[in-house]
């Protein structure tokens, strides 16, 4: 067994495990951790607990420290820088006449890298754009092309139910969704009724579906039994 804490870097994003070390941590504590991208500012969403070794990616890195007031200030300053970087990148994209849509900008906590997320219909040659951005920001630049579902998760919006998108508000990660799930729930197969704003099948179809073949067989048996009972009642009425 391994003692871990769960840390999230953005709302409704994937949860990563770290070792608490000798630090007393609780939910909603802000912490500084070391990741593959560099030093990051995150929030504890799972308090210290023991999990099976096979659920932990080794080596498990420990939390560096609880965020200080200075760390909080740096984090807020990075948010301001991200907005400025977004505007600058938009200008550079227009200058280069690139067919891409900028979605999000993220600074690493230590400022060692800036990640620009975008969508595009096909492959985009952004090598000159990267050079432009490096000359402006003087740091490592990463341009990451994402899909339409990732765009909805990053940007957010209102779903057809009137609530904030599940992927933006509650889902840690995307789960496979299929048309069979809509059939199981006897929903209309009209694409406009079962698709989200991203144009893909709605994530919420997964909530009330079941993947067990035995359940499929059981449901079919129940439907057949109901049909037989209806036929028997019809014969009695005659």
């Amino acid at each position: 067994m391994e003692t871990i804490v769960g840390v999230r870097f953005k709302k409704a994003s994937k949860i990563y495990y770290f070792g608490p070390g000798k630090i007393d941590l609780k939910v909603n504590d802000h912490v500084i951790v070391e990741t593959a991208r560099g030093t990051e500012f995150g929030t504890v969403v799972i308090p210290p607990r023991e999990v099976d070794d096979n659920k932990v990616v080794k080596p498990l890195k420990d939390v560096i420290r609880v965020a200080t007031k200075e760390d909080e200030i740096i984090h807020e300053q990075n948010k301001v820088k991200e907005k400025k970087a977004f505007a600058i990148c938009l200008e550079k994209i227009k200058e280069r006449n690139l067919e891409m849509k900028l979605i999000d900008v993220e600074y690493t906590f230590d400022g060692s890298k800036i990640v620009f997320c975008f969508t595009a219909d096909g492959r985009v040659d952004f090598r000159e754009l990267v050079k432009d951005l490096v000359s402006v920001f003087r740091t490592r630049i990463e341009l990451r092309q994402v899909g339409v579902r990732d765009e909805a998760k990053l940007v957010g919006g209102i779903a057809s139910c009137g609530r904030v998108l599940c992927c933006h508000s509650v889902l840690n990660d995307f789960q496979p969704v299929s048309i069979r799930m809509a059939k199981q729930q006897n929903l209309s197969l009209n694409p406009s009724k079962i698709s989200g704003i991203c144009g893909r099948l709605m994530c919420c179809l997964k909530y009330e579906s079941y993947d067990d073949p035995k359940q499929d067989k059981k449901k079919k048996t129940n439907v057949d039994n109901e049909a037989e009972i209806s036929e028997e009642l019809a014969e009695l009425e005659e």
Side-chain angles (χ1 to χ4, degrees):
M1 302 291 283
E2 190 85 41
T3 301
I4 59 90
V5 290
V7 177
R8 181 179 279 162
F9 302 107
K10 279 190 173 183
K11 182 180 179 181
S13 63
K14 186 176 179 181
I15 298 173
Y16 294 88
Y17 289 163
F18 293 89
K22 297 181 180 180
I23 305 173
D24 183 21
L25 297 171
K26 58 184 183 298
V27 173
N28 293 328
D29 279 349
H30 291 157
V31 293
I32 303 299
V33 296
E34 185 69 29
T35 71
R37 297 199 311 176
T39 306
E40 294 279 20
F41 180 100
T43 303
V44 175
V45 293
I46 299 176
R49 65 176 60 174
E50 289 189 343
V51 297
D52 292 335
D53 290 337
N54 57 8
K55 293 183 178 180
V56 177
V57 178
K58 299 293 184 71
L60 184 68
K61 294 185 178 181
D62 287 343
V63 171
I64 297 175
R65 65 178 181 272
V66 175
T68 63
K69 289 184 179 180
E70 289 77 13
D71 293 331
E72 300 276 358
I73 292 172
I74 292 173
H75 180 61
E76 292 301 320
Q77 289 175 341
N78 284 342
K79 288 183 179 180
V80 175
K81 290 179 182 178
E82 288 170 356
K83 292 180 180 179
K84 292 181 179 179
F86 192 97
I88 292 172
C89 188
L90 279 180
E91 290 180 5
K92 298 298 181 183
I93 290 172
K94 290 178 181 178
E95 289 175 7
R96 294 289 178 183
N97 197 27
L98 296 172
E99 294 184 358
M100 56 192 290
K101 179 182 177 183
L102 185 63
I103 298 300
D104 188 48
V105 178
E106 183 181 358
Y107 266 76
T108 56
F109 176 75
D110 57 7
S112 61
K113 180 194 276 190
I114 311 174
V115 181
F116 296 84
C117 296
F118 70 94
T119 59
D121 292 334
R123 295 190 64 179
V124 178
D125 185 358
F126 49 70
R127 287 174 292 183
E128 295 303 318
L129 175 61
V130 171
K131 293 178 183 178
D132 292 341
L133 296 174
V134 169
S135 66
V136 173
F137 298 106
R138 300 293 180 180
T139 189
R140 291 165 57 203
I141 300 293
E142 178 183 341
L143 266 75
R144 182 183 302 164
Q145 186 169 355
V146 299
V148 289
R149 295 181 82 190
D150 295 294
E151 177 184 0
K153 185 176 182 65
L154 289 169
V155 177
I158 304 299
S160 57
C161 62
R163 298 178 65 88
V164 177
L165 297 177
C166 293
C167 61
H168 183 70
S169 58
V170 296
L171 295 181
N172 297 337
D173 207 351
F174 291 113
Q175 297 294 324
V177 183
S178 67
I179 194 70
R180 181 171 60 84
M181 296 176 181
K183 292 179 180 178
Q184 287 176 348
Q185 299 168 57
N186 296 320
L187 298 176
S188 168
L189 300 185
N190 185 334
S192 65
K193 300 291 186 182
I194 58 176
S195 298
I197 64 173
C198 61
R200 301 290 190 267
L201 291 173
M202 293 189 294
C203 296
C204 57
L205 292 175
K206 179 79 173 178
Y207 299 166
E208 297 185 34
S209 69
Y210 45 85
D211 300 322
D212 188 356
K214 294 181 180 179
Q215 290 291 333
D216 279 320
K217 185 176 180 181
K218 182 179 179 181
K219 183 174 181 180
K220 183 178 185 305
T221 302
N222 290 338
V223 171
D224 291 342
N225 290 340
E226 289 174 4
E228 290 176 3
I229 292 171
S230 297
E231 291 175 1
E232 291 175 359
L233 290 174
E235 289 176 1
L236 289 173
E237 289 175 357
E238 291 175 358

